[in-house]
Amino acid sequence: MFTRLTMLAATAALLIPAVASASTLPDMPASCFTYELAGTQSGAHGLTAKTLHATLTGTDITLDIRGISLSDPSGHVQATTLERFNAVAAYAALSAFKGGISDACKDQGLGINSSDLRPGTPQAAWTDVKLARPGHDMTIRKASIQAVQTTPDLHLKVEGTGIHDTKQPLMPTQLSADLTVQGLDTARQQITINALHAVSGTSTIDGKGTIEPGATASTSAADLHVGVTNVETLIGQIRDTAPKKVVAALTIARLMGRQSGDATLWDIGLSGGVVTVNRIPLPFSVP
């Protein structure tokens, strides 16, 4: 697709979408995930595409994007690998919107390794993003993911602006995160949140910390530090629109926090299935 073609062949190639399960991510069957990229055009250090459509097979969850730009400014990562990088990002977005991996995708490999990205610094930018299921839409005006560093650890910067979710009144309208993933090629990784910043109404959310993901919550660990400004105002803004249990949970969280100026702070821990907030264990264990 990225070799020099005649004008007729190039035009035909732009009109025929590429299905990820058959080519882009060969290890992931169509019974799990499908992915179509249309209107592609290669450049010096990457490619662009007009549209993307992806879905988790067997679910009603879809992802549509109307503007994709993939690049590696260092020039080390091939265009085909950038497309796999983009497909993995699409799959991750769908799984996150679902709230977990679908049954059809369990134990499936992604077909991309950290070695595919080294020694480059790949990045993807999406415009007019829509994640949808019946009765629930999430839209993002612009989203980007950038691999600032890929060796020895994976250092990522993620940004999203113009975010709106029809079911989540607390969803930030803006979000940025600076993350480092250590042990990418090992059985146990550690994710360091170097900085997280989000805006929700008149409130800002800032955080940092570490997460060691396990197979279940009880085998995972976390040490997080989160601060939210104007929590009382935020509760008032969502009181009439959010479910009562959400309002109640945020009210209880405010009472458990400690004040620093206009910010409410929490130290959140997870170890052995026990969650602590400001070093106080919550009266339940996670599975």
Side-chain angles (χ1 to χ4, degrees), residues 191-204:
I191 301 171
T192 300
I193 303 172
N194 303 308
L196 181 145
H197 179 74
V199 178
S200 180
T202 60
S203 297
T204 60

Side-chain angles (χ1 to χ4, degrees), residues 8 15 19 37 49 60-61 81 98 108 127 134 137 167 170 186 212 217 228-229 232 251 261 263 284 286:
L8 180 60
L15 295 176
V19 181
L37 200 63
D60 293 322
I61 300 173
T81 302
K98 180 183 180 301
Q108 298 292 343
T127 304
D137 292 349
K167 287 286 189 179
L170 290 177
T186 66
E212 295 182 17
V228 180
T229 63
E232 192 66 42
T251 302
F284 59 82
V286 293

Side-chain angles (χ1 to χ4, degrees), residues 18-76:
V19 181
S21 58
S23 58
T24 309
L25 296 178
D27 293 339
M28 186 169 289
S31 59
C32 159
F33 168 73
T34 61
Y35 166 99
E36 298 176 352
L37 200 63
T40 58
Q41 183 174 350
S42 59
H45 298 293
L47 71 152
T48 61
K50 291 183 178 180
T51 63
L52 179 152
H53 176 76
T55 184
L56 293 176
T57 308
T59 75
D60 293 322
I61 300 173
T62 59
L63 168 66
D64 287 281
I65 305 173
R66 296 188 177 277
I68 302 97
S69 176
L70 312 173
S71 64
D72 173 28
S74 72
H76 290 97

Side-chain angles (χ1 to χ4, degrees), residues 25-249:
L25 296 178
D27 293 339
M28 186 169 289
S31 59
C32 159
F33 168 73
T34 61
Y35 166 99
E36 298 176 352
L37 200 63
T40 58
Q41 183 174 350
S42 59
H45 298 293
L47 71 152
T48 61
K50 291 183 178 180
T51 63
L52 179 152
H53 176 76
T55 184
L56 293 176
T57 308
T59 75
D60 293 322
I61 300 173
T62 59
L63 168 66
D64 287 281
I65 305 173
R66 296 188 177 277
I68 302 97
S69 176
L70 312 173
S71 64
D72 173 28
S74 72
H76 290 97
V77 180
Q78 300 296 319
T80 51
T81 302
L82 287 172
E83 190 172 343
R84 293 206 307 276
F85 175 72
N86 187 66
V88 169
Y91 170 73
L94 284 163
S95 298
F97 189 65
K98 180 183 180 301
I101 297 172
S102 66
D103 291 340
C105 293
K106 288 181 178 178
D107 302 319
Q108 298 292 343
L110 291 177
I112 189 168
N113 301 308
S114 60
S115 58
D116 294 329
L117 305 179
R118 295 170 177 160
T121 52
Q123 56 191 39
W126 294 349
T127 304
D128 293 336
V129 182
K130 182 178 181 179
L131 285 155
R133 58 157 59 97
H136 183 187
D137 292 349
M138 179 179 177
T139 55
I140 307 171
R141 187 169 62 249
K142 291 185 178 180
S144 65
I145 179 170
Q146 177 185 6
V148 179
Q149 177 182 325
T150 54
T151 181
D153 301 321
L154 180 61
H155 182 188
L156 297 171
K157 288 188 176 181
V158 180
E159 292 188 9
T161 59
I163 305 169
H164 179 261
D165 192 300
T166 59
K167 287 286 189 179
Q168 303 293 339
L170 290 177
M171 180 65 67
T173 55
Q174 300 177 42
L175 174 69
S176 63
D178 185 306
L179 312 169
T180 300
V181 183
Q182 297 171 296
L184 195 63
D185 298 318
T186 66
R188 186 82 173 186
Q189 290 84 41
Q190 176 174 290
I191 301 171
T192 300
I193 303 172
N194 303 308
L196 181 145
H197 179 74
V199 178
S200 180
T202 60
S203 297
T204 60
I205 301 98
D206 290 279
K208 61 181 180 179
T210 59
I211 301 171
E212 295 182 17
T216 64
S218 62
T219 59
S220 301
D223 179 20
L224 304 172
H225 309 279
V226 180
V228 180
T229 63
N230 303 321
V231 174
E232 192 66 42
T233 301
L234 184 62
I235 294 173
Q237 290 172 339
I238 68 168
R239 194 178 301 278
D240 296 330
T241 56
K244 291 183 179 180
K245 62 181 181 181
V246 173
V247 177

Side-chain angles (χ1 to χ4, degrees), residues 2 5 9 16 21 87 89 101 103 122 169 213 217 221 243 247 259 285:
F2 301 103
L5 301 172
I16 300 173
S21 58
I101 297 172
D103 291 340
V247 177
Q259 293 300 124
S285 295

Side-chain angles (χ1 to χ4, degrees), residues 251-259 263-267 277-278:
T251 302
I252 294 171
R254 179 180 61 81
L255 295 174
M256 295 185 68
R258 62 181 190 276
Q259 293 300 124
T264 305
L265 309 179
W266 298 272
D267 297 323
V277 177
N278 292 339

